[in-house]
């Protein structure tokens, strides 16, 4: 595999080795020892997720406050514009974002260390996205950075408002992200 750093500290693009011939292809999507060595991942993956979304759906930008998840993301059908925002106050890339095309065709993966906000916009008719997580999902710990926060200034490849869940429509602005309490703590 070929591993390339991105503009965000610790976020890395992975181009797996693909063995293709007239029958199709084979690639290894994860092998603990290889990924630990190549990416310096010292965490165990404890949960695998799979989502399907239709064209124009934007999911995110999600994060967990007290139990941040590292994610190894890949697209198994379709194409997405995958976005990561560095919300770690002590990071040299704090407040910056990175957007990359992940697709079934390019077979790239993205390693997102714990502590960043993550989301994606579906560009194809539909997309299946799979990702491994280093911690368990906890709905009471979840936060959402609003997709169009002008402070972050993500250049999404769209002209219309994307299809968003109610939760994603109500995401917080970047200035609020550093708060550690959850809405339940304020009740």
């Amino acid at each position: 595999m070929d591993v390339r750093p991105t503009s965000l500290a610790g976020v890395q693009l992975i181009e797996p080795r693909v063995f293709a011939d007239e029958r199709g292809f084979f690639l290894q999507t994860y092998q603990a020892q290889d990924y630990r060595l190549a990416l310096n991942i010292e965490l165990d993956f404890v949960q695998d997720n799979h989502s399907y979304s239709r064209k124009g759906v934007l999911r995110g930008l999600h994060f967990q406050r007290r139990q941040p998840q590292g994610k190894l993301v890949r697209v198994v059908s379709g194409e997405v514009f995958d976005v990561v925002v560095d919300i770690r106050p002590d990071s040299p890339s704090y407040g910056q974002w990175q957007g990359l095309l992940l697709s079934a065709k390019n077979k790239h993966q993205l390693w997102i260390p714990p502590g960043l906000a993550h989301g994606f916009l579906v560009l194809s008719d539909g997309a299946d996205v799979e990702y491994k997580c280093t911690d368990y999902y906890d709905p009471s710990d979840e936060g959402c950075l609003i997709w169009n926060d002008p402070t972050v200034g993500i250049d999404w490849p769209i002209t219309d408002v994307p299809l968003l869940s109610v939760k994603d429509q109500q995401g917080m602005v970047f200035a609020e992200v550093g708060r550690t309490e959850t809405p339940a703590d304020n009740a």
Side-chain angles (χ1 to χ4, degrees):
M1 82 179 113
D2 186 20
V3 178
R4 296 185 182 149
T6 68
S7 63
L8 301 183
V11 177
Q12 299 181 70
L13 181 67
I14 302 147
E15 295 181 20
R17 191 167 175 203
V18 179
F19 302 91
D21 60 26
E22 67 278 354
R23 300 170 298 157
F25 71 89
F26 171 85
L27 69 102
Q28 193 173 71
T29 61
Y30 178 73
Q31 202 269 10
Q33 184 176 336
D34 288 349
Y35 278 64
R36 277 200 164 101
L37 290 172
L39 301 168
N40 199 27
I41 298 174
E42 297 296 327
L43 304 166
D44 292 326
F45 290 106
V46 298
Q47 179 176 315
D48 284 4
N49 298 328
H50 180 156
S51 73
Y52 171 80
S53 305
R54 61 189 180 119
K55 185 175 188 167
V57 168
L58 191 152
R59 293 186 184 265
L61 299 154
H62 302 146
F63 60 94
Q64 291 200 165
R65 293 176 173 100
R66 293 180 295 270
Q67 295 176 270
Q69 297 174 307
K71 296 178 182 176
L72 181 61
V73 181
R74 71 190 189 105
V75 173
V76 295
S77 74
E79 180 178 57
V80 305
F81 183 67
D82 200 273
V83 172
V84 183
V85 179
D86 195 338
I87 59 172
R88 303 167 295 181
D90 58 345
S91 170
S93 52
Y94 177 68
Q96 298 174 28
W97 66 277
Q98 174 77 59
L100 298 161
L101 289 177
L102 299 180
S103 70
K105 184 176 180 178
N106 71 22
K107 298 173 184 50
H108 293 171
Q109 296 174 307
L110 191 61
W111 164 242
I112 305 164
L116 291 100
H118 173 251
F120 60 85
L121 171 69
V122 178
L123 303 176
S124 53
D125 287 338
D128 286 282
V129 177
E130 294 184 346
Y131 51 103
K132 303 176 92 46
C133 299
T134 62
D135 208 334
Y136 299 102
Y137 171 69
D138 178 357
S140 70
D141 194 34
E142 184 175 42
C144 180
L145 171 62
I146 192 76
W147 69 279
N148 60 352
D149 182 292
T151 304
V152 178
I154 298 169
D155 187 15
W156 296 97
I158 52 174
T159 54
D160 297 324
V161 174
L163 299 171
L164 301 161
S165 70
V166 172
K167 174 179 68 177
D168 293 349
Q169 291 174 26
Q170 298 171 350
M172 63 184 80
V173 296
F174 186 76
E176 298 173 319
V177 168
R179 295 186 355 217
T180 56
E181 70 275 2
T182 62
D185 294 334
N186 293 328

